[in-house]
Every structure is written in structure tokens, then in C-alpha cells.
Amino acid sequence: MCGIVGYIGDRKTEEILLEGLRRLEYRGYDSCGLAVSNLKNKLQLKRAKGRVEALADIVAAENFKGTVSGIAHTRWATHGVPSEDNAHPHTDCQGEIVVVHNGIIENYLELKDELLKKGHLFKSDTDTEVIAHLVEEKLKTLNKGANSIRAEMPEPVFFEAFRRAVSVLKGSFAVSVLWAKTPGIILSARMYSPLVIGAGEKENFLASDVSAFLKFTKKVFFMKDGEIAVLRKSGVDFFDFGGKKIQKENSTVNWDLSMAEKGGYKHFMLKEIHEQPQSVENTLRGRVLPVSGELLEKELGMTAAEIKKTGGIQVIACGTAFHAGFAGKYIFEKFGLRTEADLASEFDERSRLLEKNTLVLAISQSGETADTLYAVKLAKKNGNKVLAITNTLGSSITREADYTLYTHCGPEIGVASTKAFLGQLTAMYILAVNFAFVKGNISEEKARLCVEELLKIPRWVEETLGLERDVEKLTLSFSGKEHYLFIARGINYPIALEGALKIKEISYVHAEGYAAGEMKHGPIAIIENGMPVLAVAVSGPNLDLIRGNIEEARARGAEIIAIVDRESGKKVKAAHYLEIPATDELFSPLLTVLPLQLFAYYIALNRNCDIDKPRNLAKSVTVR
Ligand code: AGP
């Protein structure tokens, strides 16, 4: 997830762009840049690795005169490590077209190959740079093959070149381009990534979200997929990708700036909970079809032969990431792949006992967790191959590991991990299906059926988040409680652990996650009258057993909150029910965790806790 900003008007363009980037830094902050056009038909381009203030220092030293328009970008790297060369804006061969982009261009390699064959010279490892050269190539074609772009070309030809370019892009994009020869217009297009236009008085704005320009105007046009905006100082026109002009209604935003940065949500954590349909979709995108091990070869550099040679799998991670990996153990084992899962901080002894052909899965949202990095070093020392699963391109873990699979969740600002957890869980399914297929543990038909189910998950996540109001109301009667128990069996046992961690870390209450079958071996002694016990009880082979465990807790006075599907809800006795869409138990963790995230959030809200920055915690624990 990155942030893009554009401005056309009479103010000092570079200042407006920097102000907008500061407001969007939560969307990405590993590098940034801006390009400003002026009346001499020249572009001034400045970029920096690191945060916006690093760019602001560079801009302050530059003399921007006669500015007309500009575009800017703050990056959360997905392709190409964080560096000045990979920072946006990117340019065409002549340096006369600049582009900023938020999203993932899935077919950029094919497009890049075609452009390289036509003599285009690339300067970065990003997918985005392809767009600048594509527009340049379309301009050349429209200019009847002349090898330079004539200055007298009118704006409509630039529009047509841009329209043709975005029409061949596959994947997700909110993209904006400037051409030095037409400083009076900025072009922008949307497909799956957010893009909003701010309409001012003799000035106009574009951005990934309204917080970038809310200070200057509250009159906005929310772009839809397949739409192009043409911004001039005098106004904005809208077209579809076919070039047909369209009329759009404007809206008036009534958020204050602080709410705007959180997309209208009260906290980043709640915003990120609601980003989960998109983060699951982005993590799945291009990685589950066709199931032929292609993903592993193309993206990880793991050949089918290497996969066939791997013996067991060993997960190492911390905290929420460990819960994703622990659920991964159940998932991999469902596909016949022997798997162990250890806390990275407890991996010392076991690291020396690993079979050499055991593949180590190191999971870390930040890629900087000291315990996990240390455990990776131990595994490498023992001669094992390491596959890192991380949300942060270019993080330390990617340099230590042999292979890396990225979860494309965008920056996670809330200290309590939610969308990154679901992204890690999604990555477990992607790897399990691909590994099992390549190793011959499942047929192509079975793999296809699993993929079909996975592709439904984003919609089911969206549907499950519809429980929010029910959960909010339910928590009102629990906010005074100081002790909680979370129980589940089988593949949902790690979800019980995750639910307990979520409520602990943001509400500061005591909570335990337990394997429900273990209750009778001691923990049931702690149950008192009215104690809240959250139980995951979805349809599947564990339902009858968990139903018995719930009865044991109920008989001792527990107040049961059951996470059920329609069928299992009829068979379980509870004081409260939170119903999720029915899916095969194998995939249920992707949904059962959601009501627990919301439950923790609203308990913490009722207890007036600092939800995005809980006491004693850090987003990345870089000490052992
Ligand atoms: C998650 O809610 C916690 N804040 C914490 O447990 C976190 O998952 C853990 O520190 C691991 O972080 P990582 O994924 O960046 O390695």
C-alpha cells in the first residue's frame, strides 16, 4: 500500500505535495518522491529513501519556480527494495513523463519484456516504471512512429496514450502521470486501489485518501474502478477506460483530519481490521492459479525438485505471527506435510536437531523481530533452508532467508496485528496447497477445489465483519470483566491463542487461550460464575467434542460466547452466538479470528485503552 498525491493550481506545488505526503505516510514510508512541472515545460524530480522529512530537506534546497502542477508518492515497497532508484515518481526514457502508482501491476514482466525489445531503458526494479515507458510508447505510436515526441502534440493525444496504457495493465492501480509538454493537465486512473479527487476553487487535487488535501477542500469525487480523471486548474473531467466521458456526483467529506488519516475509523486497528478482505485478496492475487508450483518457481525461486526434496516443515515466529504459523502446522498436516511450530525465542535447542532437509518457515510482519532473526541464524547455521513470510519488503529477514513470500497487506500501523495476521494465515494456505500439489500429496482436482474455496474468502471476510455492531453491543456487558478464557480444538486452537493475545495486549485484562480438550486437566478449576468463555465451535470433526467442553464450562457457571456457523449454532448451548459464514473447517480460521479481533477492540474501547499504541508494547520488538 502506498500513498499518491497530485496538485494543479496556483499555490506552491511542492509544499502542497509534501503536506499531502505527510498525511499519507501511514500508507507507506520506506521512500518517497515528487515531480513538479513548470511553465518552461520542464519537470523537476526529487526522490529520497526514508521518510517524507528527508525529501522535504532536499526540496527546501531546490529552487522551484513557476510551478504549475505536480505529483508525489510515499512508498511501501512491493517490487524492488526501498531505495532512491526504486522510489516514485518513475520516468520514461526521455525523463519527460513521470508516474506515481499505488498497487501491484501483475503483468509488468511481460510488458517490460516487450518494451525492452523496443529499446526502452529501465532504471528501477519496480513494476511501476513500466507505466511511464508504456505511455511513452503509446505516444510514439500515436505520433506515427516518429522517434521523438513533438512538443505541439495536443493534450488529447497524451490522454489517448494514457488511456491505451492503463487499458492493458492487469492488477491493481491508482496511477497518476504528468507530461512535461502538457503541464496544464494531470491524468489519473483507478483499478482496485483507492483514488479520490479534491475539487477546489481554481485548483484541484488527487490522492489515495482525502486526508492529503482535506485542509484545502472537502468537495470530493470518489473514483471507481475503470475510471480516468483529467485534472486542470479550471476543473476535472472524467472518462471510462473506453474514452467515453462520464458524469460523476461529488460528495462533501465531514471527517476531521485525524479521522481522515484513519479512513474515517476511530483507530488504525479498526481500519486495518476492515482492510482484511483487501489484504487477503492482495496476498492471494496471482499466487493460487494455476496450481502448478509456478508460484514457487517464479516468486520464491524454489524449484519443484527442491520442494520434492524437502522433508518436514519447521515454523519459527513470535506472538501473533507464531499463532499464524501454529495454525499453519494444522493446515500443512491436513495436506500430509509433517510440520512443527516453535516460538522463535525457544528455538535454541531444537535448531540443532533439525533434519537437514527440513524447510524452516520464519514468519514476521516487520521482518525485524530480533527473536525471529536469531532463530533464522540458528537454522541457517544448522544447514537448513529458510523461507521467510513477511509484510515488509527489504526487511532484515529477507536478507537472511533463502526464499521470501510477501504478504501484500500494506503497512500495519496498529501495534496489535490484525490484517498482517490474516495475510500470514493466507500465506500458509498458499504454501500448503502448492507444496502438497508439487509433492503429489493432493490431486490437481483437490488443489483446484481448495483454490476455489480460498478465492471466496475475501467476500466471506467482508460478510463476517458485518458482525461488528453485534460484537460492539455484546462487549458492553463484559467490559468490567478482568478474566477471559478462549477455547477451541484442532485447527482453531491457534485462533483461541490469538483471541486471548489480542484482548490482553490492547485491554490489559488477563486472558488465556486453551485447547478445549485440556480444560478438564486443570484449567477448568479457574471457571467461576459469570466468567466469559469464548469458544470457537464451527461445523466439522471437532464440533461434538467442543460442544462437550462448552457444556463442562457452562455447568460451572461460565458465560459462553460461541463463534458458530448456522449449522453448529443449532447444536451448541451458549449465552451469546456470533455466527460466521459456513465453510470447510480447514478454512475456518480465516473467519473465526475476526469476531475475536472485534471483541478485543470493543472491550479495549469501552475500557478507554490506547488501542493503537498499547502500554509496554512496540510494533516491532528488535531486542531479544
Ligand atoms: C501482535 O499483535 C503483537 N503486537 C506481537 O505479538 C507481534 O506479532 C510479534 O511481536 C511479532 O512481530 P513480527 O510479526 O513483526 O515479527
Side-chain angles (χ1 to χ4, degrees):
M1 182 162 87
C2 305
I4 71 171
V5 187
Y7 174 72
I8 188 161
D10 294 331
R11 298 177 201 257
K12 280 179 75 65
T13 301
E14 67 277 12
E15 285 177 8
I16 302 296
L17 296 176
L18 286 170
E19 172 67 16
L21 290 183
R22 289 186 186 99
R23 297 285 170 202
L24 296 184
E25 261 199 319
Y26 74 89
R27 299 180 61 85
Y29 41 75
D30 60 45
S31 54
C32 50
L34 58 80
V36 181
S37 72
N38 58 39
L39 292 170
K40 297 195 189 77
N41 288 3
K42 290 275 178 250
L43 286 174
Q44 288 174 276
L45 172 66
K46 292 297 170 191
R47 301 183 298 184
K49 185 179 179 196
R51 304 201 67 142
V52 174
E53 285 326 304
L55 178 65
D57 293 343
I58 296 169
V59 167
E62 181 77 12
N63 184 7
F64 286 88
K65 273 211 171 11
T67 62
V68 179
S69 55
I71 54 177
H73 183 275
T74 184
R75 189 169 183 241
W76 183 263
T78 55
H79 295 75
V81 296
S83 67
E84 188 177 329
D85 286 348
N86 287 332
H88 305 205
H90 288 289
T91 72
D92 66 327
C93 301
Q94 322 292 333
E96 294 179 338
I97 297 168
V98 286
V99 64
V100 292
H101 161 235
N102 169 32
I104 297 171
I105 305 300
E106 276 177 46
N107 60 335
Y108 85 98
L109 287 174
E110 299 94 271
L111 293 171
K112 187 168 180 174
D113 282 347
E114 286 165 29
L115 290 161
L116 284 167
K117 285 182 190 127
K118 289 176 180 162
H120 288 262
L121 301 173
F122 283 79
K123 305 175 276 297
S124 81
D125 302 326
T126 67
D127 54 341
T128 300
E129 189 184 352
V130 158
I131 302 171
H133 294 280
L134 206 48
V135 175
E136 178 188 14
E137 189 58 31
K138 298 299 179 188
L139 275 171
K140 280 184 191 168
T141 313
L142 285 162
N143 192 29
K144 299 190 181 24
N147 53 19
S148 72
I149 298 172
R150 292 201 304 271
E152 70 277 12
M153 282 176 106
E155 291 174 356
V157 176
F158 180 37
F159 170 83
E160 179 56 18
F162 178 67
R163 186 195 68 76
R164 291 183 185 188
V166 297
S167 302
V168 300
L169 297 179
K170 289 200 183 79
S172 57
F173 51 89
V175 59
S176 190
V177 292
L178 260 185
W179 184 22
K181 300 185 186 316
T182 53
I185 61 169
I186 304 177
L187 303 180
S188 198
R190 174 194 159 139
M191 185 57 79
Y192 300 130
S193 294
L195 179 63
V196 60
I197 304 296
E201 287 302 314
K202 292 194 177 18
E203 62 180 3
N204 289 295
F205 306 77
L206 67 95
S208 302
D209 77 41
V210 297
S211 58
F213 54 68
L214 197 59
K215 198 168 132 183
F216 305 105
T217 180
K218 289 181 181 275
K219 183 180 169 189
V220 300
F221 295 89
F222 290 103
M223 297 286 281
K224 291 199 179 85
D225 291 343
E227 292 184 343
I228 294 173
V230 180
L231 286 80
R232 293 183 182 82
K233 206 166 85 168
S234 56
V236 188
D237 292 316
F238 300 97
F239 301 84
D240 65 21
F241 278 19
K244 185 167 158 294
K245 190 161 184 165
I246 52 182
Q247 291 308 316
K248 282 182 71 67
E249 293 296 312
N250 68 63
S251 316
T252 302
V253 171
N254 52 15
W255 292 334
D256 62 36
L257 215 40
S258 152
M259 282 184 73
E261 281 178 342
K262 303 179 186 84
Y265 292 101
K266 205 168 170 56
H267 295 99
F268 278 113
M269 182 180 174
L270 189 58
K271 174 171 176 286
E272 287 151 8
I273 285 173
H274 284 281
E275 285 175 344
Q276 292 182 111
Q278 194 60 55
S279 53
V280 170
E281 188 166 332
N282 288 344
T283 302
L284 284 171
R285 195 187 297 276
R287 290 165 159 181
V288 282
L289 283 171
V291 180
S292 59
E294 254 190 13
L295 148 79
L296 305 171
E297 298 254 11
K298 193 167 67 173
E299 184 160 357
L300 303 184
M302 272 182 105
T303 62
E306 283 166 326
I307 295 165
K308 285 178 182 145
K309 264 192 330 207
T310 56
I313 293 167
Q314 170 69 53
V315 170
I316 50 175
C318 301
T320 286
F322 170 74
H323 296 151
F326 189 23
K329 168 183 164 63
Y330 286 85
I331 297 164
F332 284 115
E333 289 177 344
K334 291 266 186 195
F335 287 96
L337 303 162
R338 188 171 34 81
T339 306
E340 294 301 334
D342 278 275
L343 290 168
S345 54
E346 295 292 326
F347 185 59
D348 266 312
E349 295 312 316
R350 188 187 286 258
S351 65
R352 287 184 282 278
L353 304 176
L354 290 185
E355 302 287 335
K356 292 294 176 280
N357 67 346
T358 295
L359 176 67
V360 173
L361 280 195
I363 307 172
S364 174
Q365 188 283 132
S366 62
E368 302 300 342
T369 299
D371 286 327
T372 308
L373 291 172
Y374 182 73
V376 166
K377 286 192 171 73
L378 291 174
K380 298 287 292 173
K381 199 168 142 203
N382 191 57
N384 294 88
K385 292 286 187 192
V386 177
L387 165 52
I389 295 171
T390 186
N391 194 42
T392 311
L393 204 91
S395 56
S396 301
I397 202 168
T398 63
R399 292 191 290 279
E400 298 293 335
D402 300 282
Y403 318 105
T404 298
L405 180 67
Y406 289 106
T407 56
H408 294 310
C409 301
E412 187 174 65
I413 308 299
V415 166
S417 183
T418 51
K419 65 174 182 174
F421 171 76
L422 216 61
Q424 291 157 358
L425 208 44
T426 302
M428 295 294 108
Y429 287 101
I430 292 170
L431 291 172
V433 171
N434 276 280
F435 273 51
F437 177 73
V438 170
K439 290 167 82 79
N441 292 17
I442 59 172
S443 68
E444 185 149 358
E445 177 57 13
K446 168 77 176 164
R448 195 181 55 72
L449 291 172
C450 287
V451 165
E452 261 175 33
E453 206 71 4
L454 277 173
L455 292 173
K456 294 174 193 166
I457 292 296
R459 183 163 40 83
W460 284 342
V461 169
E462 189 75 55
E463 190 180 318
T464 307
L465 292 176
L467 283 171
E468 182 176 2
R469 293 285 78 80
D470 297 342
V471 173
E472 182 181 12
K473 206 165 86 201
L474 175 63
T475 56
L476 294 176
S477 53
F478 287 96
S479 299
K481 300 288 184 183
E482 295 299 329
H483 301 279
Y484 290 79
L485 206 49
F486 291 73
I487 61 173
R489 293 184 81 113
I491 199 166
N492 278 296
Y493 166 33
I495 299 305
L497 297 175
E498 175 59 12
L501 174 61
K502 281 282 107 26
I503 199 168
K504 268 187 281 204
E505 64 179 323
I506 61 172
S507 310
Y508 316 148
V509 295
H510 169 249
E512 285 194 74
Y514 240 93
E518 268 300 286
M519 289 300 297
K520 53 191 174 297
H521 301 291
I524 202 162
I526 65 169
I527 293 185
E528 292 172 339
N529 201 32
M531 180 177 189
V533 173
L534 290 95
V536 177
V538 294
S539 299
N542 287 299
L543 180 57
D544 287 345
L545 289 169
I546 186 81
R547 189 173 54 174
N549 303 139
I550 290 172
E551 278 309 299
E552 289 156 11
R554 231 164 58 87
R556 286 152 181 87
E559 185 164 355
I560 303 292
I561 302 165
I563 315 300
V564 296
D565 53 53
R566 188 177 306 283
E567 281 316 302
S568 68
K570 296 172 190 162
K571 299 171 185 163
V572 168
K573 281 201 185 63
H576 313 280
Y577 295 89
L578 293 171
E579 186 179 304
I580 65 171
T583 176
D584 186 297
E585 189 197 45
L586 169 62
F587 300 102
S588 63
L590 288 159
L591 304 180
T592 55
V593 71
L594 302 169
L596 303 186
Q597 291 172 345
L598 289 168
F599 189 87
Y601 174 81
Y602 279 102
I603 291 288
L605 188 67
N606 300 339
R607 294 172 69 98
N608 300 313
C609 294
D610 183 352
I611 291 173
D612 283 334
K613 296 190 178 71
R615 68 186 184 197
N616 312 336
L617 296 182
K619 185 59 189 167
S620 177
V621 182
T622 54
V623 291
R624 285 191 65 213

